[in-house]
């Protein structure tokens, strides 16, 4: 699977990013994949390669490039619960500094870079994300209704995007929630807001899952949850990007 580490010029500097392409050389639909707060690391590279193997050009940016190249903080091979509090204490200032304005400015640069790649087919792209990356995916899709035709978010605080962002969505949507993150009542309220906004969506709690269930390098990892994620994500991309 061809991969590259590239730099993207943004309004505030240069963001490092990981890119994975299908093996065969023709142009393929583009997918912007936002990582979780722990950023670009082996598990994210593997997920990008997996998605590229299904026929997509996948761009994974370093969300916190303003603070240095990925990994911005040192990470163990396995992010267990015993180290998570200390890691989150170091990450939270970076997350808090990544304002909505910064995120949207970066999204402009990421989408322009992705769609200009010679490997990427003309037409709309998809955006997917994990944890905080899922929130960024929603905001990106809402801000670029003509350019993003599918958005997926997993164990993500998508409600924090606000009703205006949800109402601005024209992309097809899938939200996969961790059971530990969302009550059935909160899910019902979120889905009602999507219905009122006229958003084509599926939004569900993945049974028995904890926050971070897609990430194989954490204690929250759930193999069944990860399979369900692929079972929902791949048909969504196929429907939304089939014409590219």
């Amino acid at each position: 699977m061809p991969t590259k580490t590239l730099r993207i010029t943004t309004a505030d500097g240069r963001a490092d990013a990981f890119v994975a392409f299908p093996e065969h050389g023709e142009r393929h639909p583009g997918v912007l994949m936002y990582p979780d707060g722990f950023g670009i690391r082996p598990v994210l590279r593997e997920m990008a390669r997996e998605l590229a193997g299904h026929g997509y050009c996948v761009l994974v940016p370093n969300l916190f490039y303003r603070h240095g190249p990925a990994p911005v903080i040192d990470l163990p091979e396995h992010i267990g619960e015993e180290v998570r509090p200390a890691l989150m204490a170091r990450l939270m200032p970076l997350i808090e500094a990544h304002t909505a304005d910064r995120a949207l400015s970066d999204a402009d640069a990421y989408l322009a870079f992705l769609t200009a790649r010679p490997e990427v087919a003309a037409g709309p792209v998809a955006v997917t994300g994990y944890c905080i990356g899922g929130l960024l995916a929603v905001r990106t899709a809402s801000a670029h209704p003509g350019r993003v035709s599918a958005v997926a978010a997993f164990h993500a605080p998508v409600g924090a995007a606000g009703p205006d962002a949800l109402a601005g969505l024209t992309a097809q949507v899938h939200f996969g929630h961790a059971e530990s993150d969302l009550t059935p009542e909160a899910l019902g309220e979120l889905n009602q807001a999507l219905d009122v906004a006229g958003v084509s969506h599926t939004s569900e709690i993945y049974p028995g899952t904890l926050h971070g269930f897609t990430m194989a390098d954490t204690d929250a990892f759930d193999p069944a949850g990860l399979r369900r994620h692929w079972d929902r994500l791949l048909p969504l991309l196929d429907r939304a990007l089939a014409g590219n």
Side-chain angles (χ1 to χ4, degrees):
M1 189 67 56
T3 63
K4 297 179 182 179
T5 298
L6 301 172
R7 292 193 176 274
I8 303 169
T9 300
T10 74
D12 291 334
R14 302 184 73 202
D16 49 309
F18 178 78
V19 188
F21 309 100
E23 301 235 9
H24 30 100
E26 66 265 27
R27 301 172 80 190
H28 298 273
V31 178
L32 172 58
M33 177 186 283
Y34 285 114
D36 63 359
F38 295 118
I40 302 172
R41 58 196 192 280
V43 68
L44 263 297
R45 294 186 183 96
E46 181 54 37
M47 293 175 78
R49 291 188 191 98
E50 173 76 15
L51 188 52
H54 291 277
Y56 300 98
C57 297
V58 185
L59 173 66
V60 188
N62 172 17
L63 303 181
F64 307 129
Y65 69 89
R66 293 173 180 85
H67 306 274
V72 178
I73 66 170
D74 292 332
L75 295 171
E77 288 187 15
H78 182 81
I79 303 170
E81 288 305 309
E82 72 282 0
V83 299
R84 186 182 181 90
L87 294 175
M88 290 306 300
R90 296 181 63 192
L91 278 174
M92 283 310 299
L94 310 187
I95 293 172
E96 290 167 358
H98 197 62
T99 62
D101 286 345
R102 281 185 168 185
L104 291 176
S105 175
D106 289 347
D108 292 344
Y110 299 153
L111 290 177
F113 181 88
L114 178 62
T115 55
R117 293 292 305 177
E119 303 89 349
V120 175
V125 300
V127 185
T128 186
Y130 305 88
C131 189
I132 185 178
L135 173 59
L136 299 179
V138 172
R139 287 176 170 161
T140 298
S142 180
H144 296 273
R147 302 174 75 181
V148 177
S149 61
V151 60
F154 301 92
H155 46 84
V158 293
D164 290 344
L166 296 180
L169 291 171
T170 60
Q172 298 182 50
V173 170
H174 175 71
F175 294 154
H177 310 282
E179 188 171 348
S180 64
D181 284 347
L182 205 66
T183 65
E185 293 76 19
L187 176 67
E189 292 173 4
L190 173 63
N191 290 351
Q192 183 177 22
L194 291 167
D195 287 337
V196 169
V199 177
S200 174
H201 69 278
T202 56
S203 174
E204 60 182 328
I205 293 171
Y206 288 20
T209 55
L210 300 173
H211 179 75
F213 63 81
T214 61
M215 297 295 144
D217 61 352
T218 72
D219 286 350
F221 177 58
D222 184 275
L226 179 62
R227 286 194 301 272
R228 191 182 188 104
H229 144 280
W230 289 119
D231 289 345
R232 300 296 191 268
L233 178 60
L234 293 173
L236 171 71
L237 298 183
D238 185 59
R239 291 192 305 270
L241 300 176
N244 286 31

